[in-house]
Amino acid sequence: MLTYGGIEYPDSAGFEEVDHTADVALRIWGPDFEALLRQAALGAARLMCGSMPRGPTVGKRFSLEAFDRESLLVEWLGELVFSAEIDRDLFYEFDFECITDRRLIATASGKRVDSLQTVIKAVTYHNLKIIKTDRRLEVTVVFDV
């Protein structure tokens, strides 16, 4: 069971860093698209900060649209990375109001940090494909660092 920000996440969803030649990659999985989006966000936060930050609590509302699930995933992570880079806000708790294959509305809460351990320059589309298996959705996301 993954615990992050004092919240426990089930073993049916998660992420792990995988080897990549030049950049950083995360393999992410979850029973549905919402869990995949949540785990991707947690993985990106872990890459940027390592352990759970201790700064003041912050919140932000996101409303995103894209062409398909993969594009929505990249847009979502891009917005979270942008918030971390510009405002130093790292999010680990998410209330998804609307999720479709092309639209996402969510409120995120987390912590403000003094600095980032890893700066993510971009979320890439390199070999990006959400795969449905018998039990879950899986994707590998490559981050340009």
Side-chain angles (χ1 to χ4, degrees):
M1 176 137 341
L2 169 70
T3 302
Y4 194 69
I7 300 167
E8 290 186 351
Y9 298 94
D11 291 332
S12 62
F15 61 87
E16 64 183 356
E17 193 171 339
V18 293
D19 288 335
H20 192 271
T21 53
D23 297 312
V24 175
L26 288 178
R27 186 173 70 88
I28 305 154
W29 64 91
D32 54 32
F33 191 43
E34 179 179 330
L36 199 71
L37 291 168
R38 178 176 277 112
Q39 293 303 315
L42 291 171
R46 175 83 52 94
L47 285 176
M48 290 185 284
C49 191
S51 62
M52 186 60 218
R54 300 179 195 244
T57 300
V58 294
K60 186 171 183 178
R61 190 163 199 272
F62 296 89
S63 181
L64 307 171
E65 290 189 25
F67 295 111
D68 58 19
R69 280 182 165 191
E70 284 83 2
S71 297
L72 189 59
L73 174 61
V74 170
E75 289 292 320
W76 169 239
L77 290 172
E79 287 291 321
L80 295 171
V81 167
F82 182 79
S83 288
E85 178 69 21
I86 299 303
D87 301 323
R88 296 290 190 251
D89 294 342
L90 284 175
F91 299 108
Y92 59 87
E93 196 169 345
F94 310 95
D95 178 22
F96 292 101
E97 299 167 36
C98 172
I99 297 177
T100 68
D101 287 353
R102 298 174 50 172
R103 188 164 186 238
L104 176 153
I105 300 172
T107 302
S109 61
K111 299 286 184 178
R112 183 154 292 154
V113 297
D114 293 329
S115 64
L116 299 176
Q117 173 181 309
T118 301
V119 174
I120 295 175
K121 296 182 211 169
V123 183
T124 75
Y125 284 90
H126 180 73
N127 292 332
L128 186 69
K129 175 98 176 121
I130 297 173
I131 299 167
K132 182 171 176 40
T133 69
D134 291 342
R135 302 175 319 162
R136 63 192 190 186
L137 296 175
E138 298 178 2
V139 67
T140 298
V141 177
V142 178
F143 298 89
D144 182 11
V145 294

